mmCIF file of all heavy atoms in Angstrom:
data_model
loop_
_atom_site.group_PDB
_atom_site.id
_atom_site.type_symbol
_atom_site.label_atom_id
_atom_site.label_comp_id
_atom_site.label_asym_id
_atom_site.label_seq_id
_atom_site.Cartn_x
_atom_site.Cartn_y
_atom_site.Cartn_z
ATOM 1 N N THR A 1 4.076 -2.016 8.517
ATOM 2 C CA THR A 1 4.340 -2.659 7.167
ATOM 3 C C THR A 1 3.965 -1.651 6.128
ATOM 4 O O THR A 1 4.687 -1.381 5.136
ATOM 5 C CB THR A 1 3.479 -3.934 6.941
ATOM 6 O OG1 THR A 1 3.782 -4.834 8.049
ATOM 7 C CG2 THR A 1 3.885 -4.595 5.647
ATOM 8 N N ALA A 2 2.768 -1.041 6.346
ATOM 9 C CA ALA A 2 2.311 0.012 5.305
ATOM 10 C C ALA A 2 3.179 1.264 5.258
ATOM 11 O O ALA A 2 3.579 1.580 4.072
ATOM 12 C CB ALA A 2 0.864 0.467 5.761
ATOM 13 N N ASP A 3 3.680 1.654 6.358
ATOM 14 C CA ASP A 3 4.571 2.800 6.456
ATOM 15 C C ASP A 3 5.907 2.562 5.642
ATOM 16 O O ASP A 3 6.346 3.345 4.831
ATOM 17 C CB ASP A 3 4.909 3.225 7.822
ATOM 18 C CG ASP A 3 5.504 4.590 7.885
ATOM 19 O OD1 ASP A 3 4.951 5.601 7.341
ATOM 20 O OD2 ASP A 3 6.562 4.695 8.531
ATOM 21 N N ILE A 4 6.472 1.391 5.948
ATOM 22 C CA ILE A 4 7.783 1.023 5.279
ATOM 23 C C ILE A 4 7.543 0.820 3.727
ATOM 24 O O ILE A 4 8.355 1.258 2.958
ATOM 25 C CB ILE A 4 8.367 -0.325 5.915
ATOM 26 C CG1 ILE A 4 8.617 -0.068 7.374
ATOM 27 C CG2 ILE A 4 9.657 -0.677 5.135
ATOM 28 C CD1 ILE A 4 9.010 -1.350 8.139
ATOM 29 N N ALA A 5 6.523 0.193 3.413
ATOM 30 C CA ALA A 5 6.190 -0.114 1.975
ATOM 31 C C ALA A 5 6.059 1.243 1.209
ATOM 32 O O ALA A 5 6.611 1.347 0.095
ATOM 33 C CB ALA A 5 4.880 -0.934 1.826
ATOM 34 N N ILE A 6 5.226 2.137 1.802
ATOM 35 C CA ILE A 6 5.050 3.385 1.159
ATOM 36 C C ILE A 6 6.292 4.277 1.125
ATOM 37 O O ILE A 6 6.656 4.869 -0.052
ATOM 38 C CB ILE A 6 3.812 4.171 1.837
ATOM 39 C CG1 ILE A 6 2.604 3.394 1.442
ATOM 40 C CG2 ILE A 6 3.717 5.585 1.387
ATOM 41 C CD1 ILE A 6 1.429 3.829 2.236
ATOM 42 N N ARG A 7 7.073 4.262 2.118
ATOM 43 C CA ARG A 7 8.265 5.046 2.081
ATOM 44 C C ARG A 7 9.311 4.427 1.205
ATOM 45 O O ARG A 7 10.127 5.186 0.534
ATOM 46 C CB ARG A 7 8.834 5.201 3.517
ATOM 47 C CG ARG A 7 7.946 6.047 4.383
ATOM 48 C CD ARG A 7 8.596 6.288 5.708
ATOM 49 N NE ARG A 7 7.588 7.018 6.628
ATOM 50 C CZ ARG A 7 7.400 8.300 6.620
ATOM 51 N NH1 ARG A 7 8.097 9.130 5.747
ATOM 52 N NH2 ARG A 7 6.500 8.829 7.347
ATOM 53 N N SER A 8 9.274 3.129 0.969
ATOM 54 C CA SER A 8 10.137 2.424 0.048
ATOM 55 C C SER A 8 9.732 2.929 -1.417
ATOM 56 O O SER A 8 10.659 3.161 -2.294
ATOM 57 C CB SER A 8 9.997 0.971 0.121
ATOM 58 O OG SER A 8 10.391 0.504 1.380
ATOM 59 N N ALA A 9 8.429 2.967 -1.684
ATOM 60 C CA ALA A 9 7.920 3.438 -2.906
ATOM 61 C C ALA A 9 8.373 4.909 -3.196
ATOM 62 O O ALA A 9 8.592 5.345 -4.348
ATOM 63 C CB ALA A 9 6.376 3.324 -3.034
ATOM 64 N N LEU A 10 8.487 5.753 -2.132
ATOM 65 C CA LEU A 10 8.837 7.152 -2.358
ATOM 66 C C LEU A 10 10.254 7.206 -2.542
ATOM 67 O O LEU A 10 10.770 8.300 -2.961
ATOM 68 C CB LEU A 10 8.408 7.885 -1.177
ATOM 69 C CG LEU A 10 6.869 8.168 -0.954
ATOM 70 C CD1 LEU A 10 6.541 8.711 0.379
ATOM 71 C CD2 LEU A 10 6.381 9.087 -2.113
ATOM 72 N N THR A 11 11.151 6.227 -2.224
ATOM 73 C CA THR A 11 12.618 6.369 -2.354
ATOM 74 C C THR A 11 13.151 5.621 -3.463
ATOM 75 O O THR A 11 14.270 5.029 -3.401
ATOM 76 C CB THR A 11 13.247 5.963 -0.927
ATOM 77 O OG1 THR A 11 12.800 4.713 -0.587
ATOM 78 C CG2 THR A 11 12.943 6.948 0.141
ATOM 79 N N GLY A 12 12.276 5.391 -4.502
ATOM 80 C CA GLY A 12 12.918 4.771 -5.816
ATOM 81 C C GLY A 12 12.617 3.296 -5.987
ATOM 82 O O GLY A 12 13.277 2.790 -6.896
ATOM 83 N N HIS A 13 11.788 2.612 -5.195
ATOM 84 C CA HIS A 13 11.523 1.267 -5.416
ATOM 85 C C HIS A 13 10.084 1.109 -5.967
ATOM 86 O O HIS A 13 9.186 1.843 -5.578
ATOM 87 C CB HIS A 13 11.525 0.547 -4.040
ATOM 88 C CG HIS A 13 12.833 0.672 -3.308
ATOM 89 N ND1 HIS A 13 13.163 1.676 -2.456
ATOM 90 C CD2 HIS A 13 14.044 -0.077 -3.453
ATOM 91 C CE1 HIS A 13 14.331 1.534 -1.942
ATOM 92 N NE2 HIS A 13 14.872 0.481 -2.591
ATOM 93 N N LEU A 14 9.818 0.056 -6.741
ATOM 94 C CA LEU A 14 8.497 -0.261 -7.149
ATOM 95 C C LEU A 14 8.053 -1.348 -6.244
ATOM 96 O O LEU A 14 8.669 -2.435 -6.063
ATOM 97 C CB LEU A 14 8.591 -0.906 -8.585
ATOM 98 C CG LEU A 14 7.263 -1.255 -9.203
ATOM 99 C CD1 LEU A 14 6.249 -0.171 -9.275
ATOM 100 C CD2 LEU A 14 7.429 -1.857 -10.591
ATOM 101 N N VAL A 15 6.897 -1.066 -5.598
ATOM 102 C CA VAL A 15 6.383 -1.987 -4.624
ATOM 103 C C VAL A 15 5.070 -2.485 -5.010
ATOM 104 O O VAL A 15 4.140 -1.841 -5.377
ATOM 105 C CB VAL A 15 6.259 -1.257 -3.215
ATOM 106 C CG1 VAL A 15 5.732 -2.235 -2.140
ATOM 107 C CG2 VAL A 15 7.620 -0.632 -2.747
ATOM 108 N N PHE A 16 4.868 -3.909 -4.872
ATOM 109 C CA PHE A 16 3.546 -4.530 -4.949
ATOM 110 C C PHE A 16 3.138 -5.154 -3.748
ATOM 111 O O PHE A 16 3.942 -5.658 -2.933
ATOM 112 C CB PHE A 16 3.715 -5.735 -6.004
ATOM 113 C CG PHE A 16 4.116 -5.343 -7.425
ATOM 114 C CD1 PHE A 16 5.164 -6.003 -8.040
ATOM 115 C CD2 PHE A 16 3.558 -4.265 -7.990
ATOM 116 C CE1 PHE A 16 5.497 -5.711 -9.369
ATOM 117 C CE2 PHE A 16 3.973 -3.892 -9.335
ATOM 118 C CZ PHE A 16 4.935 -4.622 -9.993
ATOM 119 N N SER A 17 1.801 -5.045 -3.468
ATOM 120 C CA SER A 17 1.297 -5.638 -2.260
ATOM 121 C C SER A 17 -0.240 -5.918 -2.361
ATOM 122 O O SER A 17 -0.861 -5.430 -3.454
ATOM 123 C CB SER A 17 1.546 -4.729 -1.062
ATOM 124 O OG SER A 17 1.263 -5.521 0.165
ATOM 125 N N THR A 18 -0.815 -6.512 -1.326
ATOM 126 C CA THR A 18 -2.250 -6.839 -1.383
ATOM 127 C C THR A 18 -2.878 -6.317 -0.072
ATOM 128 O O THR A 18 -2.188 -6.073 0.926
ATOM 129 C CB THR A 18 -2.564 -8.302 -1.468
ATOM 130 O OG1 THR A 18 -2.155 -9.005 -0.228
ATOM 131 C CG2 THR A 18 -1.716 -8.896 -2.559
ATOM 132 N N LEU A 19 -4.198 -6.032 -0.217
ATOM 133 C CA LEU A 19 -5.002 -5.598 0.964
ATOM 134 C C LEU A 19 -6.327 -6.284 0.956
ATOM 135 O O LEU A 19 -6.808 -6.808 -0.194
ATOM 136 C CB LEU A 19 -5.264 -4.108 0.885
ATOM 137 C CG LEU A 19 -4.292 -3.089 1.534
ATOM 138 C CD1 LEU A 19 -4.887 -1.726 1.219
ATOM 139 C CD2 LEU A 19 -4.321 -3.288 3.096
ATOM 140 N N HIS A 20 -7.046 -6.490 2.057
ATOM 141 C CA HIS A 20 -8.361 -7.097 2.088
ATOM 142 C C HIS A 20 -9.336 -6.043 2.137
ATOM 143 O O HIS A 20 -9.725 -5.445 3.306
ATOM 144 C CB HIS A 20 -8.445 -8.032 3.269
ATOM 145 C CG HIS A 20 -7.717 -9.344 3.156
ATOM 146 N ND1 HIS A 20 -8.266 -10.458 2.516
ATOM 147 C CD2 HIS A 20 -6.433 -9.654 3.527
ATOM 148 C CE1 HIS A 20 -7.299 -11.376 2.476
ATOM 149 N NE2 HIS A 20 -6.338 -11.023 3.070
ATOM 150 N N THR A 21 -9.940 -5.608 1.006
ATOM 151 C CA THR A 21 -10.966 -4.575 0.996
ATOM 152 C C THR A 21 -11.993 -5.072 -0.167
ATOM 153 O O THR A 21 -11.583 -5.844 -1.036
ATOM 154 C CB THR A 21 -10.562 -3.194 0.652
ATOM 155 O OG1 THR A 21 -9.928 -3.076 -0.589
ATOM 156 C CG2 THR A 21 -9.499 -2.669 1.657
ATOM 157 N N ASN A 22 -13.209 -4.477 -0.097
ATOM 158 C CA ASN A 22 -14.206 -4.889 -1.037
ATOM 159 C C ASN A 22 -14.031 -4.429 -2.419
ATOM 160 O O ASN A 22 -14.269 -5.110 -3.403
ATOM 161 C CB ASN A 22 -15.628 -4.436 -0.544
ATOM 162 C CG ASN A 22 -16.093 -5.380 0.620
ATOM 163 O OD1 ASN A 22 -15.694 -6.466 0.705
ATOM 164 N ND2 ASN A 22 -16.936 -4.797 1.418
ATOM 165 N N ASP A 23 -13.521 -3.123 -2.525
ATOM 166 C CA ASP A 23 -13.356 -2.541 -3.853
ATOM 167 C C ASP A 23 -12.049 -1.712 -3.864
ATOM 168 O O ASP A 23 -11.469 -1.549 -2.860
ATOM 169 C CB ASP A 23 -14.557 -1.742 -4.338
ATOM 170 C CG ASP A 23 -14.942 -0.646 -3.350
ATOM 171 O OD1 ASP A 23 -14.155 -0.311 -2.388
ATOM 172 O OD2 ASP A 23 -15.897 0.029 -3.487
ATOM 173 N N ALA A 24 -11.679 -1.173 -4.984
ATOM 174 C CA ALA A 24 -10.424 -0.434 -5.037
ATOM 175 C C ALA A 24 -10.383 0.847 -4.305
ATOM 176 O O ALA A 24 -9.431 1.047 -3.452
ATOM 177 C CB ALA A 24 -10.201 -0.038 -6.546
ATOM 178 N N PRO A 25 -11.446 1.712 -4.245
ATOM 179 C CA PRO A 25 -11.338 2.935 -3.488
ATOM 180 C C PRO A 25 -11.245 2.744 -1.947
ATOM 181 O O PRO A 25 -10.697 3.462 -1.279
ATOM 182 C CB PRO A 25 -12.661 3.702 -3.855
ATOM 183 C CG PRO A 25 -13.012 3.203 -5.224
ATOM 184 C CD PRO A 25 -12.602 1.686 -5.219
ATOM 185 N N SER A 26 -11.877 1.559 -1.492
ATOM 186 C CA SER A 26 -11.888 1.284 -0.060
ATOM 187 C C SER A 26 -10.401 1.052 0.430
ATOM 188 O O SER A 26 -10.174 1.101 1.638
ATOM 189 C CB SER A 26 -12.675 0.098 0.230
ATOM 190 O OG SER A 26 -14.100 0.281 -0.149
ATOM 191 N N ALA A 27 -9.472 0.686 -0.441
ATOM 192 C CA ALA A 27 -8.079 0.485 -0.036
ATOM 193 C C ALA A 27 -7.462 1.685 0.458
ATOM 194 O O ALA A 27 -6.706 1.671 1.471
ATOM 195 C CB ALA A 27 -7.359 -0.014 -1.296
ATOM 196 N N VAL A 28 -7.849 2.917 -0.096
ATOM 197 C CA VAL A 28 -7.366 4.159 0.523
ATOM 198 C C VAL A 28 -7.863 4.359 1.865
ATOM 199 O O VAL A 28 -7.073 4.651 2.871
ATOM 200 C CB VAL A 28 -7.806 5.344 -0.435
ATOM 201 C CG1 VAL A 28 -7.370 6.668 0.194
ATOM 202 C CG2 VAL A 28 -7.210 5.159 -1.789
ATOM 203 N N THR A 29 -9.144 4.188 2.120
ATOM 204 C CA THR A 29 -9.785 4.407 3.428
ATOM 205 C C THR A 29 -9.177 3.463 4.467
ATOM 206 O O THR A 29 -8.819 3.905 5.525
ATOM 207 C CB THR A 29 -11.372 4.066 3.367
ATOM 208 O OG1 THR A 29 -11.860 4.843 2.322
ATOM 209 C CG2 THR A 29 -12.009 4.402 4.656
ATOM 210 N N ARG A 30 -8.890 2.148 4.005
ATOM 211 C CA ARG A 30 -8.259 1.211 4.899
ATOM 212 C C ARG A 30 -6.875 1.526 5.378
ATOM 213 O O ARG A 30 -6.521 1.568 6.517
ATOM 214 C CB ARG A 30 -8.214 -0.159 4.187
ATOM 215 C CG ARG A 30 -7.447 -1.237 4.904
ATOM 216 C CD ARG A 30 -8.449 -2.068 5.656
ATOM 217 N NE ARG A 30 -7.812 -3.159 6.399
ATOM 218 C CZ ARG A 30 -7.327 -3.072 7.651
ATOM 219 N NH1 ARG A 30 -7.350 -1.965 8.397
ATOM 220 N NH2 ARG A 30 -6.740 -4.172 8.133
#
């Protein structure tokens, strides 16, 4: 899911999504 969402964002789409992490920087690590 992450791979398709990110590649969609790279090919001209605006993508919104959610993640379960404690703070904003932890989303990158996740």
Side-chain angles (χ1 to χ4, degrees):
T1 308
D3 194 51
I4 300 168
I6 286 166
R7 290 184 188 279
S8 300
L10 289 169
T11 53
H13 304 90
L14 179 61
V15 181
F16 296 137
S17 193
T18 70
L19 269 178
H20 286 273
T21 62
N22 283 335
D23 59 8
S26 298
V28 174
T29 309
R30 176 91 177 91

